[in-house]
């Protein structure tokens, strides 16, 4: 509990490098964000992502989109579920997060990360079986535009 108290008492803006952008609030320090979420989830972030991926209903060979994908934790869990025949796309408005997640993906052929804002994605309608967004909606100023 002491680690959580220390993380919550720390300067989150410095840790996350929070920036206001016309498209919403961006967290542009992927390493700081990853460290914070690891503490926040008590080291269970990957297990939490795996449970969310299972609850999403995505199936083998399916297609999933994760909006505000951050460092890619949920994208990787979804990619594990869809397998080699599926595809998962992570979209984030912070280029730093896209670069970091792409580097973390290594040679995974079934997932990719793209820069984009939730309000105006350049993706065809009904292209995905499942769309997820965790810990991102509160950063988006026009949430109704995203839901359409």
């Amino acid at each position: 509990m002491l680690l959580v108290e220390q993380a919550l008492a720390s300067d989150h803006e410095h840790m996350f490098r929070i920036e206001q952008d016309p498209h919403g609030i961006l967290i542009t320090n992927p390493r700081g964000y990853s460290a914070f979420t690891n503490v926040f989830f008590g080291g269970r972030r990957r297990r939490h992502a795996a449970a969310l991926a299972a609850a999403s209903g995505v199936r083998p060979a399916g297609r999933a989109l994760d909006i505000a994908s951050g460092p890619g934790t949920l994208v990787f869990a979804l990619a594990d579920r869809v397998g080699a025949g599926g595809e998962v796309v992570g979209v984030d408005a912070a280029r730093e997060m896209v670069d970091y997640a792409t580097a973390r993906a290594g040679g995974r052929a079934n997932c990719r990360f793209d820069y984009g804002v939730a309000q105006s994605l350049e993706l065809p309608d009904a292209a995905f079986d499942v769309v997820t967004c965790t810990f991102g909606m509160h950063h988006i100023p026009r949430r109704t535009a995203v839901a359409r």
Side-chain angles (χ1 to χ4, degrees):
M1 190 63 160
L2 181 59
L3 285 176
V4 172
E5 289 172 4
Q6 288 174 346
L8 293 174
S10 70
D11 179 4
H12 294 124
E13 282 203 33
H14 177 70
M15 178 183 248
F16 292 165
R17 271 195 314 235
I18 297 172
E19 300 175 19
Q20 182 63 49
D21 177 271
H23 304 294
I25 299 169
L26 304 181
I27 297 175
T28 59
N29 181 350
R31 289 181 192 270
Y33 179 77
S34 294
F36 175 79
T37 57
N38 191 44
V39 171
F40 183 79
F41 282 95
R44 295 183 302 270
R45 179 71 174 115
R46 287 192 182 124
R47 276 191 291 179
H48 180 263
L52 283 173
S56 76
V58 71
R59 300 185 189 287
R63 296 198 70 220
L65 170 67
D66 185 34
I67 299 171
S69 57
T73 307
L74 181 54
V75 170
F76 300 136
L78 290 164
D80 289 344
R81 294 199 61 86
V82 302
E87 180 185 23
V88 181
V89 177
V91 175
D92 203 282
R95 291 186 193 277
E96 296 87 346
M97 288 291 190
V98 172
D99 293 344
Y100 182 78
T102 299
R104 285 184 64 215
R108 288 179 185 245
N110 67 343
C111 68
R112 74 171 198 270
F113 295 89
D114 296 334
Y115 168 78
V117 295
Q119 301 92 313
S120 59
L121 295 174
E122 305 264 336
L123 298 166
D125 290 343
F128 297 94
D129 305 311
V130 170
V131 177
T132 60
C133 180
T134 58
F135 309 113
M137 290 300 285
H138 58 282
H139 293 276
I140 302 167
R142 295 183 308 124
R143 289 183 273 292
T144 55
V146 175
R148 291 188 188 135

